[in-house]
Amino acid sequence: MTSLRPALLTDHYELTMVNAALKDGTADRHCVFEVFARRLPAGRRYGVVAGTGRLVDALRDFRFDEAEVRFLRDTGVVDDQTAAWLTRYRFTGEIHGYAEGELFFPNSPILTVSGTFAECVLLETLVLSVLNHDCAIAAAAARMVTAARGRTVIEMGARRTHEEAAVAAARASYLAGFAYTSSLAAGQRYGIPTAGTAAHAFTLLHDDEPAAFASQVAALGKNTTLLVDTYDISQGIRNAIAVAGPDLRAIRIDSGDLSVLAQQSRELLDSLGATETKIIVSGDLDEYAIAALAAEPVDMYGAGTAVVTGSGAPTAGLVYKLVEVDGRPVVKRSENKATIGGRKTAVRRHKPTGTAIEEVVVTRGVPEPMNGDRLLQRPYVIGGEPVDGLPTLAESRDHLRHCLISIPWEGLKLSGGDPAIPLTVIPAP
């Protein structure tokens, strides 16, 4: 499996701008770019910041090697001057942003990239490809975790997306509160706990269902999960307990009316003495399907397609816009796409009880401090180098859990409505 090098994620039009800026002398102007969403996906009340750690890692390798520069020159994408500039390219600017696991809302300045125009504009596609994907997955996964009401959720979507996207989706899902992933690559790369079970193919391989179950138990022990819906579910459960005994860890159901089947399965398991055997359900589950099973005797959920596609919102809708040139605010005035000029600082305001009540964004300044304010931006890269002490994935996961606890309960509803907390932008005087 090959992975695209970060530098070749650069879009053609970014190099067009670098070409022109190098020629007219504007390439070295000091600029500030910001990443934000104009709106949240339909039906969503918050977004989740995810992927910033991946972005910082990718930035370490953002270099143009000789073969890449030759390709760009030979195909006419860049001229000799720009080709020479690319061979020396290193990002030397600064990146500040919201912590991974932080919530965001329309116009939240979740990432700020500053440096020369040329070095910053070249990062646009890299920044947006990472953040739009990971933020979308994390928001969908967080809604599923909320819907699960404390029950375990497993990420099982690797077969429903690009191979590299699958690993990133597993990371974002874990950040959002999923307990496991079926992706071994994600387990190796990010230390995420992995879990899985056999597929229907393993049952069909054997002459009958008991033989398949006996083989799996012999190999993995009773602390495994048997898939019981290849043929008849009730008989599958009987076969599973007959083979493994009443201390089998779990069964999985992957099809049918999960609400009815979960009730019937629990009753049958209990009647067979398997009162501690867990019930795992899977099969195109999204946050709504999980919520619909809240009253049923389900112990774990397996989510695949919905989570790795953002559950109907495969992108977070983030944009990367120039907001300041040489200390001067600049704005885009296009209808429905206007921007707010100037570098921004954001704080989250809270009641004494800890409940978040407002996000305040100030252009070209710092919000007047109040008790309960929490500054939302932190440094990620200074002088082109990642700062020390960046949060671990586990710390970011814990941060999101606290953020979700802090918003008013209405903000956790799956139904459409206003953002979980209001955002106020205070322009520079």
Side-chain angles (χ1 to χ4, degrees):
M1 179 175 65
T2 59
S3 179
L4 192 66
R5 276 175 37 81
L8 284 189
L9 288 171
T10 303
D11 198 88
H12 192 129
Y13 90 94
E14 292 158 11
L15 284 172
T16 298
M17 290 187 283
V18 171
N19 261 321
L22 287 171
K23 285 186 178 302
D24 71 12
T26 57
D28 289 332
R29 284 188 173 180
H30 188 272
C31 292
V32 177
F33 288 81
E34 286 179 346
V35 176
F36 62 93
R38 291 190 175 92
R39 62 192 67 84
L40 297 175
R44 303 291 173 87
R45 298 182 182 226
Y46 60 84
V48 175
V49 177
T52 320
R54 286 208 309 120
L55 176 62
V56 172
D57 287 341
L59 193 60
R60 300 174 196 268
D61 298 324
F62 198 88
R63 307 284 189 271
F64 291 84
D65 65 24
E66 182 180 343
E68 291 163 349
V69 174
R70 186 186 313 113
F71 160 75
L72 296 172
R73 186 68 190 93
D74 290 349
T75 55
V77 176
V78 301
D79 59 17
D80 289 339
Q81 180 186 15
T82 304
W85 183 85
L86 289 175
T87 62
R88 303 187 300 271
Y89 179 84
R90 300 290 186 274
F91 179 72
T92 63
E94 298 185 359
I95 297 178
H96 293 73
Y98 286 27
E100 284 204 86
E102 188 62 71
L103 304 183
F104 71 86
F105 306 95
N107 294 309
S108 293
I110 68 173
L111 198 77
T112 303
V113 181
S114 58
T116 69
F117 174 80
E119 66 178 340
C120 292
V121 79
L122 211 55
L123 298 180
E124 179 174 358
T125 299
L126 174 65
V127 169
L128 291 181
S129 65
V130 171
L131 296 186
N132 265 317
H133 175 269
D134 288 25
C135 292
I137 305 307
R143 286 160 59 86
M144 293 180 196
V145 170
T146 296
R149 299 184 182 182
R151 296 170 179 172
T152 297
V153 190
I154 306 170
E155 186 276 314
M156 306 168 66
R159 300 170 186 174
R160 297 294 186 265
T161 188
H162 182 277
E163 63 269 19
E164 280 295 325
V167 182
R171 181 185 185 277
S173 300
Y174 184 70
L175 184 152
F178 278 36
Y180 303 96
T181 178
S182 63
S183 169
L184 296 177
Q188 180 190 43
R189 192 177 300 179
Y190 299 117
I192 302 171
T194 61
T197 182
H200 295 294
F202 186 73
T203 301
L204 296 170
L205 169 69
H206 293 79
D207 293 336
D208 55 39
E209 193 172 56
F213 290 166
S215 173
Q216 186 173 333
V217 171
L220 302 174
K222 296 181 179 182
N223 191 34
T224 189
T225 300
L226 298 178
L227 181 61
V228 297
D229 69 339
T230 303
Y231 305 115
D232 177 81
I233 293 178
S234 295
Q235 187 58 47
I237 292 174
R238 292 187 180 93
N239 289 337
I241 301 306
V243 168
D247 51 348
L248 173 67
R249 174 179 175 270
I251 62 166
R252 178 164 73 97
I253 304 170
D254 191 48
S255 59
D257 186 332
L258 297 178
S259 178
V260 172
L261 292 173
Q263 295 179 41
Q264 294 176 345
S265 298
R266 184 73 270 160
E267 291 172 1
L268 180 54
L269 286 167
D270 290 349
S271 73
L272 296 171
T275 57
E276 299 302 316
T277 298
K278 307 299 183 185
I279 297 175
I280 303 173
V281 297
S282 57
D284 293 327
L285 296 180
D286 60 13
E287 61 266 48
Y288 302 104
I290 291 173
L293 293 167
E296 309 305 341
V298 174
D299 299 290
M300 301 183 194
Y301 303 95
T305 302
V307 69
V308 300
T309 58
S311 194
T315 174
L318 302 175
V319 295
Y320 183 92
K321 296 300 178 184
L322 180 64
V323 296
E324 194 171 285
V325 177
D326 289 336
R328 173 179 57 86
V330 295
V331 298
K332 178 180 177 180
R333 302 189 186 279
S334 304
E335 186 176 356
N336 298 322
K337 288 190 175 183
T339 58
I340 301 169
R343 182 178 187 136
K344 300 166 192 70
T345 304
V347 299
R348 185 81 39 82
R349 295 209 157 133
H350 301 78
K351 294 179 179 179
T353 58
T355 300
I357 56 175
E358 185 182 22
E359 184 167 316
V360 179
V361 177
V362 170
T363 62
R364 308 186 73 200
V366 179
E368 192 70 29
M370 296 178 60
N371 288 335
D373 280 2
R374 179 165 61 82
L375 186 66
L376 296 176
Q377 286 125 328
R378 57 152 300 147
Y380 280 96
V381 175
I382 300 294
E385 296 295 329
V387 301
D388 294 331
L390 290 177
T392 65
L393 181 58
E395 290 169 340
S396 298
R397 173 184 165 95
D398 193 52
H399 183 72
L400 174 56
R401 185 176 62 83
H402 285 291
C403 287
L404 290 172
I405 292 172
S406 74
I407 62 175
W409 68 268
E410 295 92 342
L412 297 176
K413 289 182 177 180
L414 297 181
S415 57
D418 294 331
I421 60 173
L423 183 145
T424 302
V425 178
I426 302 175

PDB file of all heavy atoms in Angstrom, residues 46 48-50 101 134 137-146 169-179 307 393 396-398 400-401 404:
ATOM      1  N   TYR A  46     -23.088  21.092  17.153  1.00  0.00           N
ATOM      2  CA  TYR A  46     -21.693  21.393  17.471  1.00  0.00           C
ATOM      3  C   TYR A  46     -20.803  20.650  16.486  1.00  0.00           C
ATOM      4  O   TYR A  46     -21.206  19.669  15.846  1.00  0.00           O
ATOM      5  CB  TYR A  46     -21.331  20.971  18.904  1.00  0.00           C
ATOM      6  CG  TYR A  46     -21.492  19.494  19.187  1.00  0.00           C
ATOM      7  CD1 TYR A  46     -20.480  18.587  18.864  1.00  0.00           C
ATOM      8  CD2 TYR A  46     -22.659  18.995  19.779  1.00  0.00           C
ATOM      9  CE1 TYR A  46     -20.621  17.237  19.109  1.00  0.00           C
ATOM     10  CE2 TYR A  46     -22.813  17.650  20.022  1.00  0.00           C
ATOM     11  CZ  TYR A  46     -21.795  16.772  19.679  1.00  0.00           C
ATOM     12  OH  TYR A  46     -21.943  15.421  19.913  1.00  0.00           O
ATOM     13  N   VAL A  48     -16.624  19.054  16.196  1.00  0.00           N
ATOM     14  CA  VAL A  48     -15.541  18.556  17.043  1.00  0.00           C
ATOM     15  C   VAL A  48     -14.222  18.736  16.301  1.00  0.00           C
ATOM     16  O   VAL A  48     -14.085  18.292  15.160  1.00  0.00           O
ATOM     17  CB  VAL A  48     -15.739  17.071  17.395  1.00  0.00           C
ATOM     18  CG1 VAL A  48     -14.540  16.539  18.187  1.00  0.00           C
ATOM     19  CG2 VAL A  48     -17.029  16.866  18.188  1.00  0.00           C
ATOM     20  N   VAL A  49     -13.263  19.377  16.945  1.00  0.00           N
ATOM     21  CA  VAL A  49     -11.937  19.541  16.347  1.00  0.00           C
ATOM     22  C   VAL A  49     -11.178  18.224  16.456  1.00  0.00           C
ATOM     23  O   VAL A  49     -11.030  17.662  17.539  1.00  0.00           O
ATOM     24  CB  VAL A  49     -11.138  20.652  17.050  1.00  0.00           C
ATOM     25  CG1 VAL A  49      -9.727  20.754  16.453  1.00  0.00           C
ATOM     26  CG2 VAL A  49     -11.860  21.988  16.924  1.00  0.00           C
ATOM     27  N   ALA A  50     -10.724  17.735  15.321  1.00  0.00           N
ATOM     28  CA  ALA A  50      -9.936  16.496  15.284  1.00  0.00           C
ATOM     29  C   ALA A  50      -8.992  16.562  14.092  1.00  0.00           C
ATOM     30  O   ALA A  50      -9.298  17.185  13.081  1.00  0.00           O
ATOM     31  CB  ALA A  50     -10.849  15.276  15.179  1.00  0.00           C
ATOM     32  N   GLY A 101     -10.357  17.715  20.255  1.00  0.00           N
ATOM     33  CA  GLY A 101     -11.401  17.390  21.216  1.00  0.00           C
ATOM     34  C   GLY A 101     -12.221  18.591  21.636  1.00  0.00           C
ATOM     35  O   GLY A 101     -13.227  18.442  22.324  1.00  0.00           O
ATOM     36  N   ASP A 134     -11.272  14.574   9.440  1.00  0.00           N
ATOM     37  CA  ASP A 134     -11.252  14.117  10.827  1.00  0.00           C
ATOM     38  C   ASP A 134     -12.311  14.789  11.688  1.00  0.00           C
ATOM     39  O   ASP A 134     -12.916  14.152  12.561  1.00  0.00           O
ATOM     40  CB  ASP A 134      -9.859  14.342  11.426  1.00  0.00           C
ATOM     41  CG  ASP A 134      -8.826  13.376  10.870  1.00  0.00           C
ATOM     42  OD1 ASP A 134      -9.022  12.880   9.744  1.00  0.00           O
ATOM     43  OD2 ASP A 134      -7.809  13.120  11.560  1.00  0.00           O
ATOM     44  N   ILE A 137     -15.658  13.050  10.971  1.00  0.00           N
ATOM     45  CA  ILE A 137     -15.761  11.731  11.598  1.00  0.00           C
ATOM     46  C   ILE A 137     -15.950  11.874  13.102  1.00  0.00           C
ATOM     47  O   ILE A 137     -16.787  11.200  13.711  1.00  0.00           O
ATOM     48  CB  ILE A 137     -14.500  10.886  11.314  1.00  0.00           C
ATOM     49  CG1 ILE A 137     -14.232  10.779   9.815  1.00  0.00           C
ATOM     50  CG2 ILE A 137     -14.645   9.503  11.947  1.00  0.00           C
ATOM     51  CD1 ILE A 137     -15.378  10.291   8.987  1.00  0.00           C
ATOM     52  N   ALA A 138     -15.174  12.752  13.724  1.00  0.00           N
ATOM     53  CA  ALA A 138     -15.254  12.913  15.176  1.00  0.00           C
ATOM     54  C   ALA A 138     -16.620  13.415  15.621  1.00  0.00           C
ATOM     55  O   ALA A 138     -17.145  12.973  16.648  1.00  0.00           O
ATOM     56  CB  ALA A 138     -14.158  13.862  15.659  1.00  0.00           C
ATOM     57  N   ALA A 139     -17.211  14.329  14.861  1.00  0.00           N
ATOM     58  CA  ALA A 139     -18.534  14.837  15.230  1.00  0.00           C
ATOM     59  C   ALA A 139     -19.579  13.742  15.140  1.00  0.00           C
ATOM     60  O   ALA A 139     -20.441  13.602  16.026  1.00  0.00           O
ATOM     61  CB  ALA A 139     -18.910  16.012  14.331  1.00  0.00           C
ATOM     62  N   ALA A 140     -19.540  12.945  14.054  1.00  0.00           N
ATOM     63  CA  ALA A 140     -20.483  11.841  13.916  1.00  0.00           C
ATOM     64  C   ALA A 140     -20.286  10.824  15.036  1.00  0.00           C
ATOM     65  O   ALA A 140     -21.248  10.343  15.651  1.00  0.00           O
ATOM     66  CB  ALA A 140     -20.318  11.172  12.555  1.00  0.00           C
ATOM     67  N   ALA A 141     -19.036  10.495  15.326  1.00  0.00           N
ATOM     68  CA  ALA A 141     -18.738   9.504  16.360  1.00  0.00           C
ATOM     69  C   ALA A 141     -19.171   9.996  17.737  1.00  0.00           C
ATOM     70  O   ALA A 141     -19.689   9.220  18.551  1.00  0.00           O
ATOM     71  CB  ALA A 141     -17.248   9.177  16.362  1.00  0.00           C
ATOM     72  N   ALA A 142     -18.970  11.285  18.013  1.00  0.00           N
ATOM     73  CA  ALA A 142     -19.375  11.833  19.308  1.00  0.00           C
ATOM     74  C   ALA A 142     -20.887  11.721  19.496  1.00  0.00           C
ATOM     75  O   ALA A 142     -21.368  11.428  20.600  1.00  0.00           O
ATOM     76  CB  ALA A 142     -18.929  13.294  19.418  1.00  0.00           C
ATOM     77  N   ARG A 143     -21.644  11.957  18.420  1.00  0.00           N
ATOM     78  CA  ARG A 143     -23.100  11.817  18.511  1.00  0.00           C
ATOM     79  C   ARG A 143     -23.492  10.358  18.769  1.00  0.00           C
ATOM     80  O   ARG A 143     -24.443  10.081  19.504  1.00  0.00           O
ATOM     81  CB  ARG A 143     -23.741  12.328  17.216  1.00  0.00           C
ATOM     82  CG  ARG A 143     -23.729  13.858  17.121  1.00  0.00           C
ATOM     83  CD  ARG A 143     -23.896  14.336  15.694  1.00  0.00           C
ATOM     84  NE  ARG A 143     -25.115  13.895  15.044  1.00  0.00           N
ATOM     85  CZ  ARG A 143     -26.293  14.500  15.115  1.00  0.00           C
ATOM     86  NH1 ARG A 143     -26.416  15.598  15.855  1.00  0.00           N
ATOM     87  NH2 ARG A 143     -27.347  14.036  14.465  1.00  0.00           N
ATOM     88  N   MET A 144     -22.762   9.432  18.195  1.00  0.00           N
ATOM     89  CA  MET A 144     -23.048   8.015  18.430  1.00  0.00           C
ATOM     90  C   MET A 144     -22.731   7.631  19.869  1.00  0.00           C
ATOM     91  O   MET A 144     -23.476   6.872  20.500  1.00  0.00           O
ATOM     92  CB  MET A 144     -22.253   7.155  17.456  1.00  0.00           C
ATOM     93  CG  MET A 144     -22.687   7.317  16.012  1.00  0.00           C
ATOM     94  SD  MET A 144     -21.712   6.289  14.884  1.00  0.00           S
ATOM     95  CE  MET A 144     -22.116   7.073  13.313  1.00  0.00           C
ATOM     96  N   VAL A 145     -21.624   8.144  20.389  1.00  0.00           N
ATOM     97  CA  VAL A 145     -21.258   7.865  21.777  1.00  0.00           C
ATOM     98  C   VAL A 145     -22.329   8.411  22.721  1.00  0.00           C
ATOM     99  O   VAL A 145     -22.723   7.748  23.696  1.00  0.00           O
ATOM    100  CB  VAL A 145     -19.875   8.458  22.106  1.00  0.00           C
ATOM    101  CG1 VAL A 145     -19.595   8.397  23.599  1.00  0.00           C
ATOM    102  CG2 VAL A 145     -18.794   7.712  21.331  1.00  0.00           C
ATOM    103  N   THR A 146     -22.814   9.616  22.446  1.00  0.00           N
ATOM    104  CA  THR A 146     -23.884  10.189  23.263  1.00  0.00           C
ATOM    105  C   THR A 146     -25.139   9.323  23.190  1.00  0.00           C
ATOM    106  O   THR A 146     -25.779   9.040  24.212  1.00  0.00           O
ATOM    107  CB  THR A 146     -24.207  11.617  22.794  1.00  0.00           C
ATOM    108  OG1 THR A 146     -23.062  12.449  23.001  1.00  0.00           O
ATOM    109  CG2 THR A 146     -25.379  12.194  23.561  1.00  0.00           C
ATOM    110  N   ALA A 169      -9.947   7.652  10.333  1.00  0.00           N
ATOM    111  CA  ALA A 169     -11.293   7.582  10.907  1.00  0.00           C
ATOM    112  C   ALA A 169     -11.284   6.841  12.234  1.00  0.00           C
ATOM    113  O   ALA A 169     -12.003   7.212  13.174  1.00  0.00           O
ATOM    114  CB  ALA A 169     -12.246   6.901   9.926  1.00  0.00           C
ATOM    115  N   ALA A 170     -10.473   5.795  12.323  1.00  0.00           N
ATOM    116  CA  ALA A 170     -10.371   5.073  13.588  1.00  0.00           C
ATOM    117  C   ALA A 170      -9.820   5.985  14.678  1.00  0.00           C
ATOM    118  O   ALA A 170     -10.293   5.966  15.823  1.00  0.00           O
ATOM    119  CB  ALA A 170      -9.475   3.852  13.407  1.00  0.00           C
ATOM    120  N   ARG A 171      -8.825   6.797  14.326  1.00  0.00           N
ATOM    121  CA  ARG A 171      -8.254   7.734  15.296  1.00  0.00           C
ATOM    122  C   ARG A 171      -9.299   8.752  15.755  1.00  0.00           C
ATOM    123  O   ARG A 171      -9.450   9.018  16.955  1.00  0.00           O
ATOM    124  CB  ARG A 171      -7.049   8.459  14.685  1.00  0.00           C
ATOM    125  CG  ARG A 171      -6.359   9.447  15.612  1.00  0.00           C
ATOM    126  CD  ARG A 171      -5.258  10.209  14.867  1.00  0.00           C
ATOM    127  NE  ARG A 171      -4.510  11.083  15.764  1.00  0.00           N
ATOM    128  CZ  ARG A 171      -4.918  12.311  16.123  1.00  0.00           C
ATOM    129  NH1 ARG A 171      -6.070  12.779  15.666  1.00  0.00           N
ATOM    130  NH2 ARG A 171      -4.175  13.044  16.937  1.00  0.00           N
ATOM    131  N   ALA A 172     -10.017   9.341  14.802  1.00  0.00           N
ATOM    132  CA  ALA A 172     -11.018  10.353  15.135  1.00  0.00           C
ATOM    133  C   ALA A 172     -12.152   9.746  15.956  1.00  0.00           C
ATOM    134  O   ALA A 172     -12.681  10.387  16.877  1.00  0.00           O
ATOM    135  CB  ALA A 172     -11.560  10.989  13.858  1.00  0.00           C
ATOM    136  N   SER A 173     -12.535   8.517  15.641  1.00  0.00           N
ATOM    137  CA  SER A 173     -13.609   7.852  16.386  1.00  0.00           C
ATOM    138  C   SER A 173     -13.182   7.565  17.819  1.00  0.00           C
ATOM    139  O   SER A 173     -13.966   7.738  18.767  1.00  0.00           O
ATOM    140  CB  SER A 173     -14.004   6.551  15.687  1.00  0.00           C
ATOM    141  OG  SER A 173     -14.464   6.788  14.382  1.00  0.00           O
ATOM    142  N   TYR A 174     -11.936   7.138  17.980  1.00  0.00           N
ATOM    143  CA  TYR A 174     -11.437   6.876  19.323  1.00  0.00           C
ATOM    144  C   TYR A 174     -11.376   8.163  20.126  1.00  0.00           C
ATOM    145  O   TYR A 174     -11.759   8.201  21.308  1.00  0.00           O
ATOM    146  CB  TYR A 174     -10.060   6.220  19.242  1.00  0.00           C
ATOM    147  CG  TYR A 174      -9.504   5.826  20.593  1.00  0.00           C
ATOM    148  CD1 TYR A 174     -10.065   4.779  21.320  1.00  0.00           C
ATOM    149  CD2 TYR A 174      -8.420   6.506  21.144  1.00  0.00           C
ATOM    150  CE1 TYR A 174      -9.563   4.423  22.563  1.00  0.00           C
ATOM    151  CE2 TYR A 174      -7.906   6.150  22.383  1.00  0.00           C
ATOM    152  CZ  TYR A 174      -8.482   5.103  23.092  1.00  0.00           C
ATOM    153  OH  TYR A 174      -7.991   4.756  24.327  1.00  0.00           O
ATOM    154  N   LEU A 175     -10.910   9.246  19.509  1.00  0.00           N
ATOM    155  CA  LEU A 175     -10.900  10.542  20.168  1.00  0.00           C
ATOM    156  C   LEU A 175     -12.300  10.906  20.655  1.00  0.00           C
ATOM    157  O   LEU A 175     -12.473  11.459  21.746  1.00  0.00           O
ATOM    158  CB  LEU A 175     -10.381  11.607  19.200  1.00  0.00           C
ATOM    159  CG  LEU A 175     -10.192  13.037  19.715  1.00  0.00           C
ATOM    160  CD1 LEU A 175      -9.104  13.741  18.928  1.00  0.00           C
ATOM    161  CD2 LEU A 175     -11.483  13.858  19.620  1.00  0.00           C
ATOM    162  N   ALA A 176     -13.306  10.558  19.847  1.00  0.00           N
ATOM    163  CA  ALA A 176     -14.693  10.916  20.167  1.00  0.00           C
ATOM    164  C   ALA A 176     -15.322  10.019  21.221  1.00  0.00           C
ATOM    165  O   ALA A 176     -16.440  10.290  21.660  1.00  0.00           O
ATOM    166  CB  ALA A 176     -15.539  10.885  18.895  1.00  0.00           C
ATOM    167  N   GLY A 177     -14.637   8.945  21.619  1.00  0.00           N
ATOM    168  CA  GLY A 177     -15.159   8.120  22.700  1.00  0.00           C
ATOM    169  C   GLY A 177     -15.417   6.673  22.358  1.00  0.00           C
ATOM    170  O   GLY A 177     -15.845   5.898  23.227  1.00  0.00           O
ATOM    171  N   PHE A 178     -15.190   6.256  21.088  1.00  0.00           N
ATOM    172  CA  PHE A 178     -15.301   4.844  20.775  1.00  0.00           C
ATOM    173  C   PHE A 178     -14.258   4.079  21.596  1.00  0.00           C
ATOM    174  O   PHE A 178     -13.167   4.579  21.865  1.00  0.00           O
ATOM    175  CB  PHE A 178     -15.047   4.596  19.282  1.00  0.00           C
ATOM    176  CG  PHE A 178     -16.255   4.840  18.410  1.00  0.00           C
ATOM    177  CD1 PHE A 178     -17.157   5.862  18.677  1.00  0.00           C
ATOM    178  CD2 PHE A 178     -16.494   4.044  17.303  1.00  0.00           C
ATOM    179  CE1 PHE A 178     -18.261   6.092  17.874  1.00  0.00           C
ATOM    180  CE2 PHE A 178     -17.589   4.254  16.486  1.00  0.00           C
ATOM    181  CZ  PHE A 178     -18.480   5.282  16.768  1.00  0.00           C
ATOM    182  N   ALA A 179     -14.585   2.853  21.986  1.00  0.00           N
ATOM    183  CA  ALA A 179     -13.694   2.091  22.859  1.00  0.00           C
ATOM    184  C   ALA A 179     -12.666   1.277  22.092  1.00  0.00           C
ATOM    185  O   ALA A 179     -11.562   1.045  22.595  1.00  0.00           O
ATOM    186  CB  ALA A 179     -14.517   1.163  23.749  1.00  0.00           C
ATOM    187  N   VAL A 307     -20.091   5.908  10.491  1.00  0.00           N
ATOM    188  CA  VAL A 307     -19.074   6.705  11.173  1.00  0.00           C
ATOM    189  C   VAL A 307     -17.967   7.136  10.215  1.00  0.00           C
ATOM    190  O   VAL A 307     -17.517   8.286  10.256  1.00  0.00           O
ATOM    191  CB  VAL A 307     -18.504   5.962  12.403  1.00  0.00           C
ATOM    192  CG1 VAL A 307     -17.673   4.760  12.025  1.00  0.00           C
ATOM    193  CG2 VAL A 307     -17.677   6.918  13.265  1.00  0.00           C
ATOM    194  N   LEU A 393      -3.288  11.549  22.279  1.00  0.00           N
ATOM    195  CA  LEU A 393      -4.636  11.181  21.832  1.00  0.00           C
ATOM    196  C   LEU A 393      -5.531  10.900  23.027  1.00  0.00           C
ATOM    197  O   LEU A 393      -6.708  11.293  23.035  1.00  0.00           O
ATOM    198  CB  LEU A 393      -4.547   9.958  20.907  1.00  0.00           C
ATOM    199  CG  LEU A 393      -5.858   9.440  20.326  1.00  0.00           C
ATOM    200  CD1 LEU A 393      -6.587  10.514  19.536  1.00  0.00           C
ATOM    201  CD2 LEU A 393      -5.593   8.214  19.444  1.00  0.00           C
ATOM    202  N   SER A 396      -6.622  14.184  24.493  1.00  0.00           N
ATOM    203  CA  SER A 396      -7.613  14.846  23.641  1.00  0.00           C
ATOM    204  C   SER A 396      -8.973  14.183  23.784  1.00  0.00           C
ATOM    205  O   SER A 396     -10.016  14.850  23.777  1.00  0.00           O
ATOM    206  CB  SER A 396      -7.158  14.807  22.182  1.00  0.00           C
ATOM    207  OG  SER A 396      -5.936  15.501  22.017  1.00  0.00           O
ATOM    208  N   ARG A 397      -8.979  12.884  23.900  1.00  0.00           N
ATOM    209  CA  ARG A 397     -10.218  12.127  24.117  1.00  0.00           C
ATOM    210  C   ARG A 397     -10.889  12.561  25.421  1.00  0.00           C
ATOM    211  O   ARG A 397     -12.098  12.783  25.481  1.00  0.00           O
ATOM    212  CB  ARG A 397      -9.847  10.645  24.132  1.00  0.00           C
ATOM    213  CG  ARG A 397     -10.921   9.659  24.510  1.00  0.00           C
ATOM    214  CD  ARG A 397     -10.261   8.276  24.540  1.00  0.00           C
ATOM    215  NE  ARG A 397     -11.065   7.276  25.213  1.00  0.00           N
ATOM    216  CZ  ARG A 397     -11.890   6.446  24.609  1.00  0.00           C
ATOM    217  NH1 ARG A 397     -12.035   6.522  23.310  1.00  0.00           N
ATOM    218  NH2 ARG A 397     -12.575   5.550  25.281  1.00  0.00           N
ATOM    219  N   ASP A 398     -10.079  12.706  26.457  1.00  0.00           N
ATOM    220  CA  ASP A 398     -10.613  13.135  27.753  1.00  0.00           C
ATOM    221  C   ASP A 398     -11.113  14.575  27.685  1.00  0.00           C
ATOM    222  O   ASP A 398     -12.136  14.925  28.290  1.00  0.00           O
ATOM    223  CB  ASP A 398      -9.523  12.995  28.817  1.00  0.00           C
ATOM    224  CG  ASP A 398     -10.063  13.121  30.227  1.00  0.00           C
ATOM    225  OD1 ASP A 398     -11.032  12.398  30.547  1.00  0.00           O
ATOM    226  OD2 ASP A 398      -9.535  13.934  31.005  1.00  0.00           O
ATOM    227  N   LEU A 400     -12.453  16.114  25.071  1.00  0.00           N
ATOM    228  CA  LEU A 400     -13.765  16.135  24.428  1.00  0.00           C
ATOM    229  C   LEU A 400     -14.849  15.672  25.398  1.00  0.00           C
ATOM    230  O   LEU A 400     -15.944  16.256  25.433  1.00  0.00           O
ATOM    231  CB  LEU A 400     -13.762  15.253  23.178  1.00  0.00           C
ATOM    232  CG  LEU A 400     -15.118  15.075  22.492  1.00  0.00           C
ATOM    233  CD1 LEU A 400     -15.739  16.416  22.111  1.00  0.00           C
ATOM    234  CD2 LEU A 400     -14.987  14.193  21.254  1.00  0.00           C
ATOM    235  N   ARG A 401     -14.557  14.661  26.178  1.00  0.00           N
ATOM    236  CA  ARG A 401     -15.551  14.183  27.146  1.00  0.00           C
ATOM    237  C   ARG A 401     -15.961  15.309  28.095  1.00  0.00           C
ATOM    238  O   ARG A 401     -17.151  15.506  28.362  1.00  0.00           O
ATOM    239  CB  ARG A 401     -14.977  12.995  27.937  1.00  0.00           C
ATOM    240  CG  ARG A 401     -15.957  12.350  28.891  1.00  0.00           C
ATOM    241  CD  ARG A 401     -15.336  11.127  29.546  1.00  0.00           C
ATOM    242  NE  ARG A 401     -14.178  11.472  30.346  1.00  0.00           N
ATOM    243  CZ  ARG A 401     -14.233  11.924  31.596  1.00  0.00           C
ATOM    244  NH1 ARG A 401     -15.420  12.115  32.186  1.00  0.00           N
ATOM    245  NH2 ARG A 401     -13.148  12.205  32.267  1.00  0.00           N
ATOM    246  N   LEU A 404     -18.149  17.964  26.233  1.00  0.00           N
ATOM    247  CA  LEU A 404     -19.540  17.540  26.025  1.00  0.00           C
ATOM    248  C   LEU A 404     -20.336  17.603  27.322  1.00  0.00           C
ATOM    249  O   LEU A 404     -21.540  17.877  27.305  1.00  0.00           O
ATOM    250  CB  LEU A 404     -19.573  16.128  25.443  1.00  0.00           C
ATOM    251  CG  LEU A 404     -19.084  16.017  23.989  1.00  0.00           C
ATOM    252  CD1 LEU A 404     -18.966  14.560  23.574  1.00  0.00           C
ATOM    253  CD2 LEU A 404     -20.024  16.765  23.049  1.00  0.00           C
TER     254      LEU A 404
END
